[in-house]
Amino acid sequence: MDAAGFRVPVLVLGLVKVMSASQKPQPNEDELWAQLCDLPEHLKGEVIDGELHVQPRPRPRHSRIIGKLFGDISRVVDHDDDGAAHGGWWILIEPGIELPGAREIVPDVAGWRRSTLPELDLDAPIRTRPDWVCEVLSPGNTRHNIVRKQGFYARSGVEWLWHVNPAPDVRTLQVFHRVDEKWLVHMTCSDEPSVRLPPFEGVELPLAKLWL
């Protein structure tokens, strides 16, 4: 009641707790996997460190680079009949890999020494970390590859990492070597007609043809 003797209505507002994005329950691994499986065909996803990362499928330039690298390398080092004589590797395009901290990670091209992965189950996810990974960079995936995947590969024990940037104004292939969970730039190639790069020194890679 105020000084004049009139009763003043009091409006009581209920408190509404607004949950911020950071407070919302994070999806668990099974929920993330279900979201990945529901992606449309024109998108691909990876589950790394508890997050689903979605990107468009590669464009023709990107796909062509992947195919050329796979063909040049696997032709020499990946043979079922005499693999040991040629270095003894499994080389795969976009393999689905399941590692601690990554329910699904998909390099553009990856390789395993057969001493690391003696048997390859063609119908199951691979749960052994690769010895070598190659990622082809594009405007849409460069940040993802450098900020997220590069560090994850180092923590997982990948020994060699290649980054290929086929943009017409760049055209570089960088080779990284892991030392104490850190990547050191081993070499950078660009204008050489052909190169021999670790861990495939026995392969003469026609680098100039990658850019065509």
Side-chain angles (χ1 to χ4, degrees), residues 35-46 53-60 62-63 94 138 140-141:
Q35 293 174 19
L36 185 149
C37 293
D38 287 340
L39 291 175
E41 288 295 323
H42 68 284
L43 299 176
K44 70 174 185 177
E46 297 177 294
H53 303 281
V54 180
Q55 294 180 308
R57 290 284 174 186
R59 296 295 184 259
H62 191 122
S63 297
E94 292 193 340
S138 64
N141 73 16

Side-chain angles (χ1 to χ4, degrees), residues 48-49 105 144-158 161 163 178 181-183:
I48 305 171
D49 293 332
I105 189 165
H144 176 60
N145 276 302
I146 292 176
V147 173
R148 299 186 182 95
K149 296 179 78 173
Q150 188 168 338
F152 181 83
Y153 288 141
R155 298 195 306 272
S156 299
V158 176
L161 169 65
H163 275 174
R178 185 181 61 86
E181 294 193 8
K182 295 181 181 179
W183 291 115

